[in-house]
Amino acid sequence: MRALKSVPKSFLVPAALAPVLLATLAAPPARAEGDGGAVAAALLARVQGCEQLSKGRFRTDDGTPADIPVCGGKGVVHWKADLDIDCDGRPSRVCNKRTDPYFQPTTAFQDSRGRHLDSAKLPYVVVPGASKLWNHREAKVWGGGLAAIVHRGKVQYAVVGDTGSTDLIGEASYATARALGIDPHPVRGGAARGVTYIFFQGSQVGRIESRADAEREGARLAGEFLAG
């Protein structure tokens, strides 16, 4: 087994969190619902403040103030916003033209067989389309990259699966919302605020369509981030 990294003085972990972080690093990663609030709290503590990467700020919805910056540092990109439901991709019982008036049968990134992603089954995150405001590719946030989404004491690991408007931010798949306990309905669902998105720069999952692979690799990267 690889030796655990030492925790720098700049990030002293409260005693109550130590067992959780050791388990994250030393044991097979748990699914998001088994992580408990301690990992969520530790991740939020590591992304306090903002070193702004974007050249401006984003809106959460059309007509709302542009007040959400893209932040970065310590090997991650992060922002705090709302969570709108992306039901695009392969049609399913819950994601189709009847349930979502804005439904599109495509996603910006495809699986290992060239198929569009399944929002109902796969936790994925939507990033703003590349623009002069911010370019996700230049920030090493790529399709199939890993992210941790934190909301009300829960963590869900997901892949970067789609792109959206160049001026809007805060969107994730039906499956992501459901895993976080957020109403996943594409019209009436979502969360109005308090969702933190943390992207591990330069990361890439082997099979973008594999939820298990994303959760395993996401938990590993989160453990390294908390330890480093």
Side-chain angles (χ1 to χ4, degrees), residues 60 68-69 78-82 169 193-197:
T60 55
I68 308 295
H78 59 94
W79 57 76
K80 188 172 183 179
D82 64 346
I169 205 165
R193 64 185 63 85
V195 181
T196 299
Y197 302 77

Side-chain angles (χ1 to χ4, degrees), residues 26-200:
R31 292 176 61 86
E33 55 265 36
D35 285 336
V39 169
L43 286 170
L44 293 180
R46 284 285 275 166
V47 295
Q48 287 184 348
C50 178
E51 180 181 336
Q52 187 166 327
L53 300 181
S54 56
K55 295 179 180 179
R57 300 193 174 202
F58 290 86
R59 306 176 189 277
T60 55
D61 298 288
D62 288 333
T64 61
D67 56 4
I68 308 295
V70 172
C71 311
K74 305 171 187 174
V76 301
V77 168
H78 59 94
W79 57 76
K80 188 172 183 179
D82 64 346
L83 191 152
D84 294 325
I85 308 301
D86 185 324
C87 234
D88 293 343
R90 294 165 62 189
S92 65
R93 181 181 61 83
V94 294
C95 289
N96 55 65
K97 289 183 178 180
R98 295 187 305 277
T99 61
D100 180 2
Y102 301 105
F103 175 79
Q104 297 291 331
T106 60
T107 50
F109 308 108
Q110 290 78 50
D111 68 16
S112 59
R113 297 173 61 183
R115 301 175 301 181
H116 294 286
L117 305 182
D118 187 340
S119 176
K121 294 182 178 179
L122 179 68
Y124 69 72
V125 183
V126 181
V127 296
S131 70
K132 293 181 179 179
L133 186 59
W134 182 66
N135 188 324
H136 63 91
R137 291 186 293 268
E138 292 178 356
K140 298 183 179 179
V141 175
W142 303 310
L146 280 304
I149 302 90
V150 184
H151 177 67
R152 293 187 177 179
K154 292 185 178 181
V155 181
Q156 177 61 43
Y157 301 110
V159 295
V160 177
D162 204 357
T163 59
S165 300
T166 57
D167 62 339
L168 299 180
I169 205 165
E171 191 174 4
S173 69
Y174 183 104
T176 304
R178 186 175 181 182
L180 289 169
I182 296 170
D183 182 354
H185 193 279
V187 176
R188 64 171 183 267
R193 64 185 63 85
V195 181
T196 299
Y197 302 77
I198 304 170
F199 299 83
F200 303 105

